[in-house]
Amino acid sequence: MLFSKKSGGKPIADKEIDWYRERTDFDPESSRYCFAVLYSALDHKPSPRQLRYIGDEAARLISGMDPFFVQSVMHTLGSSGGKINTSSWQRHCSPEGYRALLICGTVHPNGYLREHCLKLLADDKKVLRFVLLRMNDWVPQIRHTAWDILRRQLRQGMPVGDIIQAMPFVEFVRRGMRAQRDEGFSMEELDRVLMEIFAENAETVMRSPIRLRRLCYRVFMLHPQQDDRELLLSFIRRERDGAQRSALMRFYMNTAERPLSAELVDEFSRDKYWRSRLDACEYRMKVSGYWEGMEELLLSSHYPIRGFAEYYLDKNGFDTLMYCRSHLPDTIHALCDIGSRDDIEIIRPYLESHPCEALAALVRLGAGDSKELVWKAMHSGDTKLEKAAYRLAGSVLRYTRAELLNEIKKESDPHRCWRLISLMMKDADSELLPILIRLVREYSHSRSDIIAMIERLTYYRLGGHYAVLVSQELHDEITEALEDAGSSIPSDLKRYILCSMRVMS
């Protein structure tokens, strides 16, 4: 504790409150971190006026604050052995202040106070998260008290939105394992109650944020029951997030007691998210095996689906390569996967009608004029094609710095210029520093982005813990570039670069 009980002069409660006021007057943002000192004044019989002040501060600070943060703040207190008179809190504090002091008391280091405050809040359905937090308490008796309160609150009914908001704390109880070591506690019972609540309020679940919906779905997935199949199907059809819809779909298919109907599998196969479509195809292969029309999957723009089709088609003796060659341009992507350089001239005529697909295929198959095709595409005026060409230039092709610098100097469009500068950062090292420093002054429209690149190469944001190792020639070149840059480079960054360079012997 910050102040000793043996201190002379003012009463200890006065000293702690005065310290808190002085500190928060100087730095208002520190009030929540200093609150533990203010709360400790409750150990020293504060006056009614002081009690009301402490309660009002507590109500102001913990409003909307995460319970884990409240707990971490309160754990900076010592575990007082004295008994705190909570009845005086109720007499002298406002209702909001009294409630806030009790909430803080549920995470106090003193176990007796935690349990006492928890019992006083038993009928307050707005503190569900703090009750769940105490279900992972290190004191068994407090865990029992929290479980009794939670069961009573859930039976009496509480707003479904509050329960959904508290789902991260349910997961905290599940993973914490302390409560599950108690004979009187049953995680299955808690999950069963939650499943009943969510089933009756599916609309509220669907309106929740994805991070909370995922936890609500998890309760059903941990306890698969055939009675919940229709509800899960409803969740799948209404779920907006593709990845979560795919997870629900896999669970639904893998836990089915009998094969799904062809109509339902076909519905899943038409899902707009590619992973869901692949899941449906894998399920269909597992249940029915190879089917007529599987080759149509080769038309997909997603490689995992094409790879699935290519594997099973080849396994069943289907001539995939011939099919791809005879169904161009729809199968350009698939032909790029399994084709060879012999297919380059077959694809080339489609540069006019399907420029993005044909360009990607030609580059990946290793066409001799790949670089020329990409440069031409990057200046085509077609935004989509230019972006595709830039991605190919960065992921498949490699250009020398001399080539890129030459193109940068000739480029007048700022967007294309920035893309070329970004290409230079592929596999960048300290030798690129003088080039970037000079570009800062020449290309003011990209100044902040180029400076960010320089900071990354020199570890500027890491606080100077790393040296930039350079040769003497490179040291001189960087120093000269910094002098030429003038005020284009921030003075702090310039000073940092000069101080962090180390010449290799």
Side-chain angles (χ1 to χ4, degrees), residues 60 64 126 128 144 163 191 193 221 254 264 270 281 294 330 397 430:
R60 181 180 67 84
K126 294 295 185 181
L128 175 61
H144 299 159
I163 297 175
D191 285 342
V193 173
M221 297 168 77
N254 293 336
L264 187 57
R270 297 193 304 271
C281 291
M294 182 185 285
D330 296 332
L397 302 176
S430 56

Side-chain angles (χ1 to χ4, degrees), residues 17-142:
I17 293 173
D18 289 346
W19 181 88
Y20 174 81
R21 281 175 165 161
E22 290 174 5
R23 184 63 182 258
T24 54
D25 286 345
F26 174 74
D27 181 12
E29 292 298 322
S30 68
S31 57
R32 61 183 61 185
Y33 300 99
C34 300
F35 176 71
V37 174
L38 182 64
Y39 197 92
S40 67
L42 296 171
D43 293 341
H44 308 296
K45 299 180 180 179
S47 66
R49 179 179 55 82
Q50 291 172 332
L51 267 177
R52 187 172 185 87
Y53 172 73
I54 297 171
D56 291 344
E57 281 295 290
R60 181 180 67 84
L61 291 173
I62 73 165
S63 177
M65 193 183 295
D66 183 75
F68 288 113
F69 185 81
V70 178
Q71 179 171 265
S72 65
V73 169
M74 294 300 293
H75 276 193
T76 60
L77 280 165
S79 181
S80 171
K83 184 177 180 180
I84 299 178
N85 183 12
T86 55
S87 60
S88 64
W89 299 357
Q90 189 173 18
R91 285 198 308 271
H92 302 298
C93 294
S94 64
E96 295 79 11
Y98 173 62
R99 178 176 178 274
L101 291 179
L102 290 179
I103 288 175
C104 292
T106 64
V107 290
H108 194 280
N110 186 323
Y112 296 105
L113 182 61
R114 289 202 303 278
E115 184 177 13
H116 180 63
C117 291
L118 200 59
K119 289 178 178 178
L120 292 175
L121 289 168
D123 296 326
D124 189 342
K125 296 178 181 178
K126 294 295 185 181
V127 295
L128 175 61
R129 295 181 299 169
F130 287 90
V131 174
L132 287 165
L133 200 60
R134 293 281 54 83
M135 288 183 63
N136 203 42
D137 200 284
W138 52 93
V139 180
Q141 182 57 42
I142 298 177

Side-chain angles (χ1 to χ4, degrees), residues 9 15 25 60 77 88 110 133 171 184 278 283 291 361-362 401 404 453 465 496-497:
K15 289 187 175 184
D25 286 345
R60 181 180 67 84
L77 280 165
S88 64
N110 186 323
L133 200 60
E171 196 66 19
L278 180 58
Y283 175 82
W291 67 89
L362 291 174
R401 288 173 185 169
L404 291 171
M453 289 181 171
H465 297 296
Y496 170 81
I497 295 173

